[in-house]
Amino acid sequence: MKITFLGTGTSQGIPVIGSTHPVCLSDNPKDKRLRVSVLIEWDNYAYVIDCGPDFRQQMLTANCNKIDGILFTHEHADHTAGLDDIRPFNFRQGDMPIYAHKRVVKALQQRFAYVFETKNKYPGAPGVDIHEIENTPFELGDTTVVPINLMHGNLQVFGFRVNDFAYLTDMKTIAEAEMEKLKHLKVLVINALREESHHSHLNLEEALAFIDKVKPEKAYLTHISHLLGFHDEVEQKLPKHVFLAYDNLQITL
């Protein structure tokens, strides 16, 4: 299985528009972060988790010519706003399978009503094949995906476990029962927004404590804001098995 980090930034991305913060002015490519998303590939399958406003550029950068579906963690714009840009895939492949909680599907139907239109649909509009998911395992290709229920402040979001890989973003809290799904991981990806506490995201201290509790072989931090600091400086302070993810990083399990 190959994981490509398409984006590792928070909702504004880095650099933030108009910001003079030193991290936003950094020349280090690892300090430039598109909105958060990953591409997961195994055998002949390719799936993307979340489809944010940078989706088109991410697909071009990754030279991704085919995806078999999109998994949505939740409905916030930095995770869904790129849905219109699935059209080139539609033209080659037909309707795009999407996997999301029914609440998220409803939000997409409101925000992208033309995508879900069934009468007099505009020619060339995107098309989707809806798969509503609950907190029970489901199949993607020849592999079972295990949803993980998380709380993003007061909003339910899904993380996903695929084999020995788990991807959790926009998390603040998790029930103990859901923790059971995270045993014996080779790689855990978890959000770490900044050092200061946040009402709906883990900060760095909380993310590291969570990693220590789960005990994956390796962990990667994502959904990072400029307030966390310079990539190279932050990574030097991390435990030896914990890394800052960065855009276009690829790992293989």
Side-chain angles (χ1 to χ4, degrees):
M1 177 182 292
K2 182 171 75 172
I3 311 297
T4 303
F5 289 85
L6 301 171
T8 56
T10 188
S11 58
Q12 296 183 89
I14 307 175
V16 176
I17 295 172
S19 175
T20 57
H21 188 282
V23 173
C24 291
L25 301 177
S26 171
D27 292 327
N28 184 350
K30 293 180 180 179
D31 285 323
K32 301 183 188 302
R33 302 181 186 275
L34 300 178
R35 267 60 73 93
V36 66
S37 178
V38 290
L39 170 66
I40 305 176
E41 299 173 276
W42 71 93
D43 299 332
N44 292 317
Y45 299 105
Y47 289 88
V48 169
I49 300 180
D50 287 334
C51 179
D54 302 313
F55 178 75
R56 173 183 172 274
Q57 186 58 54
Q58 291 166 340
M59 293 293 94
L60 291 170
T61 300
N63 194 28
C64 186
N65 300 314
K66 178 186 79 77
I67 55 176
D68 296 294
I70 301 170
L71 287 67
F72 287 102
T73 58
H74 64 296
E75 63 267 41
H76 285 169
D78 54 325
H79 299 259
T80 61
L83 186 61
D84 188 78
D85 285 325
I86 66 173
R87 287 184 298 150
F89 295 107
N90 290 151
F91 298 152
R92 291 193 298 270
Q93 303 171 203
D95 288 351
M96 176 67 68
I98 62 170
Y99 301 79
H101 189 282
K102 62 182 178 181
R103 184 198 73 243
V104 177
V105 172
K106 183 176 180 180
L108 292 173
Q109 289 171 330
Q110 293 173 339
R111 187 173 299 162
F112 297 96
Y114 64 97
V115 174
F116 298 86
E117 183 60 64
T118 57
K119 297 180 181 179
N120 301 316
K121 185 172 181 177
Y122 184 80
V128 296
D129 176 19
I130 302 169
H131 299 261
E132 290 187 358
I133 58 174
E134 299 179 354
N135 193 18
T136 53
F138 60 96
E139 301 301 313
L140 286 186
D142 58 357
T143 299
T144 300
V145 177
V146 179
I148 301 156
N149 215 41
L150 314 170
M151 293 303 294
H152 178 30
N154 294 322
L155 181 70
Q156 178 273 342
V157 303
F158 275 139
F160 299 102
R161 177 171 183 159
V162 186
N163 298 330
D164 296 327
F165 170 80
Y167 182 84
L168 314 182
T169 188
D170 290 53
M171 183 182 90
K172 181 64 176 181
T173 58
I174 181 173
E176 283 297 323
E178 298 298 298
M179 292 285 290
E180 292 295 311
K181 300 176 181 178
L182 298 172
K183 290 183 175 180
H184 311 300
L185 288 172
K186 290 184 178 178
V187 172
L188 169 68
V189 178
I190 183 72
N191 56 294
L193 186 70
R194 62 192 190 192
E195 290 193 356
E196 184 182 351
S197 180
H198 189 273
H199 71 280
S200 62
H201 288 275
L202 296 177
N203 67 3
L204 179 60
E205 181 181 7
E206 292 166 333
L208 291 177
F210 183 80
I211 293 166
D212 190 56
K213 190 171 183 179
V214 173
K215 294 182 169 35
E217 291 181 14
K218 292 182 179 180
Y220 292 83
L221 306 179
T222 193
H223 208 292
I224 294 161
S225 92
H226 60 292
L227 299 175
L228 187 61
F230 293 103
H231 181 280
D232 290 348
E233 293 181 4
V234 174
E235 187 153 86
Q236 289 177 7
K237 303 174 185 177
L238 298 176
K240 63 180 181 179
H241 66 300
V242 180
F243 309 89
L244 280 190
Y246 55 88
D247 289 17
N248 307 313
L249 169 67
Q250 291 187 342
I251 60 175
T252 302
L253 281 74

